[in-house]
Every structure is written in structure tokens, then in C-alpha cells.
Amino acid sequence: VCATHAPQLSNMFSRVVLMALLLVAAAAWRAPMRMSSGSLSRAGVVKLLNTATSADVLLSAEVEEFVKSAGSSMHPKLKKRIARKAKELGGEMPATWAKKPNLKLECRAALKAATEANDLEQLTAAVATAEELGLDAEKVAELSAAMELKTQLEEAAAAAAAEAEAAAEAEAPAEEAPAE
């Protein structure tokens, strides 16, 4: 190889290396966008939206699970797009499709039901769930303490009523005996 062709060869070699790196980078960039076996990606759902020919495909269980697991930003957007496309294709999205549960709301409802039902075990379970979800700790503690106090007062009242009834029964036979 002559000295005059050496710069051309090194320039050509660097171009080949650059092209190879670009191809690898492009393949790596597109890999997450492809649908993997058994699960969908965002790009897969968008592709499905663009190519769907029936609403049943869009409202499938696999798509519903993906939309449910989507984040708080992507979930409503995908749900709206799927509903719009399903309507265009002549289908209707059920109201409960891909609905995320509101755990804090359910927990508050469980706490309220436990306090209204005067059930200490139910309240204990609801308080534990509330603490796991990070609800207002002071309010949970107040509810728990109030429920325990109420239960203790009811037990004391029941014991007092039982003692009064036992005392009344003890006096009743003594009064009946002299009447004979």
C-alpha cells in the first residue's frame, strides 16, 4: 500500500466502523418498540390502534392488562385513544374496562364501614391497610383509639348490665319465698 492511499484507506475504515455503530444503535433503539412474545409495549399498542380492523382486538384482555399496568400519565391517554378507535370500528368500551382501583378511596370506605359497624377486627385490618397505603396516620390513629375506647365502654356497660341483672335475680327469689 502506497503512502498516498493510506489516508483514503483509514478514512474508508472509519466510515465502515461508523456505519456499523449506527446500525447497532438503530437496532438497539427499535428493540424496545417491538412487541415481545406474550406482552405488549406502548409502541405495540399504538401500532395495534393504527392497524385494528375490529373493536374486539382493541378490547382484548392482553391490551386491557397493558393499559391497567400503564402509568398515571399513559393510562388515561391510551384508554381514550382505544375508546375512540373502538367507537370508530363500531364497538363500545365497557365502563369497567381497564379501570384502575382507587385503593385509598376503598381504604377510607373500609375504615368508615368498620367504625359504623363497631367491629374491632374489621377496624384493625382497615387501619393496617391504611398505614400501608400511607393515609393520614393521625386520623387513622384517632379512629383506632376511638374504636378501642368505644369497645371498652360497651364491654363495661354490658358487664354492668349483667351484674345488675344477676343482682335483680338474686333479690327476686328472696322476695318470692316469704310470700308462701
Side-chain angles (χ1 to χ4, degrees):
V1 176
C2 137
T4 58
H5 294 299
Q8 291 175 346
L9 286 176
S10 109
N11 192 14
M12 187 166 26
F13 179 73
S14 63
R15 286 184 182 173
V16 169
V17 169
L18 181 63
M19 289 299 285
L21 287 173
L22 286 174
L23 286 173
V24 169
W29 180 258
R30 285 193 306 191
M33 294 180 157
R34 285 189 225 137
M35 290 176 27
S36 59
S37 61
S39 65
L40 291 174
S41 66
R42 181 193 173 282
V45 172
V46 171
K47 182 177 180 182
L48 188 63
L49 274 168
N50 294 334
T51 61
T53 57
S54 78
D56 295 337
V57 173
L58 291 175
L59 302 175
S60 69
E62 186 179 19
V63 174
E64 181 178 10
E65 284 304 312
F66 177 79
V67 173
K68 272 185 183 178
S69 66
S72 61
S73 177
M74 189 175 18
H75 177 267
K77 293 173 187 175
L78 278 177
K79 196 171 174 181
K80 281 181 192 175
R81 287 180 70 181
I82 290 171
R84 185 173 43 240
K85 184 70 172 187
K87 193 171 185 178
E88 287 175 11
L89 295 173
E92 276 297 315
M93 177 185 285
T96 59
W97 189 86
K99 186 174 182 176
K100 284 188 166 185
N102 188 342
L103 297 178
K104 289 188 177 183
L105 184 64
E106 290 174 9
C107 185
R108 285 188 184 109
L111 281 169
K112 184 177 180 183
T115 54
E116 290 174 357
N118 294 330
D119 186 6
L120 189 59
E121 293 86 25
Q122 187 180 0
L123 180 71
T124 306
V127 166
T129 305
E131 289 172 351
E132 288 174 14
L133 292 175
L135 290 180
D136 185 15
E138 291 177 16
K139 183 167 180 137
V140 170
E142 286 174 15
L143 284 172
S144 179
M147 188 63 188
E148 287 177 18
L149 181 62
K150 187 175 183 180
T151 304
Q152 290 172 356
L153 289 174
E154 288 175 352
E155 289 173 356
E163 286 178 18
E165 187 177 308
E169 286 179 7
E171 291 178 11
E175 293 175 8
E176 290 176 13
E180 289 179 17

